[in-house]
Amino acid sequence: MKTRAAVAFGAGKPLEVVDVDLQGPKAGEVMIELKATGICHTDAFTLSGDDPEGEFPAILGHEGAGIVVEVGAGVTSVKPGDTVIPLYTPECRGCEYCLNPKTNLCQAIRTTQGQGLMPDGTSRFSLDGQPLKHYMGCSTFANHTVLPEIAVAKIRDDAPFDKVCYIGCGVTTGVGAVIFDAKVEPGSNVVVFGLGGIGLNVIQGARIAGANQIIGVDINPSKVELARKFGMTGFINPKEVPDVVEAIVEMTKGGADYSFECIGNVNTMRQALECCHKGWGESIIIGVAGAGQEISTRPFQLVTGRVWRGSAFGGARGRTDVPKIVDWYMDGKINIDDLITHTMPLDDINKGFDLMHAGESIRSVVLY
Ligand code: APR
Ligand code: ZN
């Protein structure tokens, strides 16, 4: 069949909206009609050409919501008509990673997904007979896409596509890092570096977890108002204090119980570790640093009890946890509406990238 898609033809080039060919789902696969998709920094990173795994031409996008239109042989967990969210971190429930409660990094289809291919090593998308690469196992910048069954989370049918698509990446990444990975306890003091789309979701995760202080760190003071609405209790602008780490240690009376780096900057990653409380403070890296960058600190920081760790997709097991996060939104426990600052049709998708680069949007969502 034909479907409309925004195709990335090469690094640094704007996306082009064209009709592409899409093959139906093979055994164990599901075809979805996308209703909405968010535009994320990771899409921009790949489009820039800096992503070592990025290959062109490809159909980017990994933060979607839609409806199942067709299933391949052997698919049992979803059926046509189901409301679903594509998962770039799948959940096969059988690999050694899925069977280990310490990780959410299912490896069942990792190799082919990294190559932009379906698990059988081929692509379902093509243009003029030439294959187009899938992206992060999702390719949500197409009106229809095909995914492995293990990469599809079935959610409730009354969830609004234009909001819950954000649970496919940003919301889960931030809220999940607090709840599933750090497991922040009530009464904890939490510090959040970067008050963008990820940081604000960390803040609301910390609020749900019952944190005591929630301190935001950002060089842009215009972020303060919304961050307070989401639960931030204190703010530090690194440009206004002589030493960020000292300022945090003072404000928290000893250091953070948990800190989260939501910028992707190796210098703030160091600050986020070193502002942690001696003996027990944990720092969680969420931001993605540029290719080839390295973090550093004095080993004594770890010897004296601080912990450095990272979080991917918020530690969430997609098919199990994503439907729960949708419930939290539907029950009013988390706020997504205020984070979606812009919407646009697929034809205007490049405007969404421009808004992101200009720092004018928190999230832009394409509506099909
Ligand atoms: N110190 C403090 N704050 C900073 C600094 C800095 N040196 N540099 C940038 N910031 C702030 C910005 O002002 C902005 O508010 O960090 C915030 C980043 O927010 P966004 O640009 O909206 O990014 P976001 O979508 O939240 O993603 C953050 O996570 O997913 C990854 O690739 C993504 O690495 C990126 C990170
Ligand atoms: Zn993303």
Side-chain angles (χ1 to χ4, degrees):
M1 62 177 275
K2 294 271 185 200
T3 195
R4 200 111 177 104
V7 179
F9 283 100
K13 293 187 190 155
L15 303 181
E16 286 180 46
V17 179
V18 293
D19 286 325
V20 302
D21 292 294
L22 178 62
Q23 269 177 39
K26 296 189 180 176
E29 298 177 359
V30 178
M31 184 189 277
I32 289 169
E33 180 189 347
L34 272 308
K35 297 288 188 183
T37 179
I39 302 171
C40 172
H41 275 98
T42 311
D43 301 307
F45 177 64
T46 302
L47 186 58
S48 76
D50 290 342
D51 177 358
E53 270 193 352
E55 282 184 60
F56 303 99
I59 298 175
L60 306 180
H62 60 280
E63 192 176 85
I67 290 182
V68 174
V69 290
E70 194 184 336
V71 300
V75 170
T76 56
S77 60
V78 291
K79 58 180 189 311
D82 283 350
T83 300
V84 294
I85 288 179
L87 300 170
Y88 61 85
T89 304
E91 183 187 355
C92 77
R93 298 174 174 161
C95 74
E96 61 174 321
Y97 287 74
C98 281
L99 295 176
N100 188 328
K102 291 182 179 175
T103 182
N104 64 327
L105 300 179
C106 173
Q107 297 293 295
I109 56 172
R110 176 68 205 122
T111 308
T112 46
Q113 182 172 320
Q115 295 163 342
L117 300 169
M118 292 298 284
D120 71 349
T122 63
S123 175
R124 300 290 162 274
F125 289 107
S126 60
L127 179 64
D128 302 328
Q130 295 300 312
L132 299 168
K133 289 285 167 86
H134 294 251
Y135 177 66
M136 290 176 76
C138 292
S139 293
T140 57
F141 294 166
N143 201 175
H144 296 80
T145 190
V146 172
L147 302 149
E149 178 182 14
I150 60 168
V152 177
K154 177 173 155 47
I155 63 164
R156 54 199 280 174
D157 291 332
D158 58 345
F161 301 106
D162 59 332
K163 305 296 191 309
V164 300
C165 61
Y166 196 11
I167 295 174
C169 180
V171 171
T172 302
T173 297
V175 174
V178 178
I179 306 283
F180 302 126
D181 271 332
K183 301 187 176 75
V184 168
E185 305 90 355
S188 303
N189 290 333
V190 172
V191 177
V192 183
F193 285 76
L195 302 177
I198 302 293
L200 291 169
N201 278 301
V202 168
I203 287 178
Q204 63 178 340
R207 196 199 65 231
I208 297 173
N212 172 34
Q213 284 183 306
I214 304 174
I215 297 168
V217 180
D218 202 297
I219 49 176
N220 182 351
S222 78
K223 305 278 177 167
V224 168
E225 194 185 332
L226 191 56
R228 286 204 188 272
K229 187 172 179 186
F230 274 67
M232 183 177 79
T233 63
F235 175 70
I236 293 174
N237 183 343
K239 291 180 173 167
E240 288 174 357
V241 295
D243 185 315
V244 183
V245 171
E246 266 176 34
I248 293 169
V249 170
E250 194 177 309
M251 222 166 162
T252 53
K253 300 192 168 57
D257 296 313
Y258 297 94
S259 74
F260 296 86
E261 205 281 351
C262 313
I263 302 168
N265 175 316
V266 292
N267 300 313
T268 48
M269 288 177 190
R270 178 173 191 154
Q271 294 167 354
L273 175 78
E274 297 183 356
C275 78
C276 282
H277 204 293
K278 185 178 178 179
W280 65 76
E282 287 193 22
S283 186
I284 292 93
I285 294 176
I286 306 175
V288 180
Q293 302 229 308
E294 297 185 352
I295 48 171
S296 61
T297 188
R298 292 206 201 91
F300 197 64
Q301 294 281 338
L302 305 181
V303 172
T304 50
R306 293 172 194 83
V307 175
W308 220 347
R309 52 185 308 200
S311 174
F313 196 45
R317 291 162 179 269
R319 291 201 285 164
T320 304
D321 293 327
V322 160
K324 290 187 207 163
I325 299 175
V326 172
D327 286 340
W328 298 347
Y329 169 69
M330 298 300 286
D331 295 344
K333 293 193 178 79
I334 56 174
N335 177 346
I336 296 180
D337 299 14
D338 284 329
L339 299 175
I340 296 172
T341 49
H342 300 78
T343 60
M344 59 210 55
L346 185 65
D347 283 328
D348 294 339
I349 190 166
N350 289 306
K351 283 186 197 156
F353 282 87
D354 294 343
L355 288 163
M356 179 168 61
H357 291 306
E360 284 175 26
S361 56
I362 298 174
R363 203 40 129 223
S364 290
V365 168
V366 167
L367 305 175
Y368 287 102

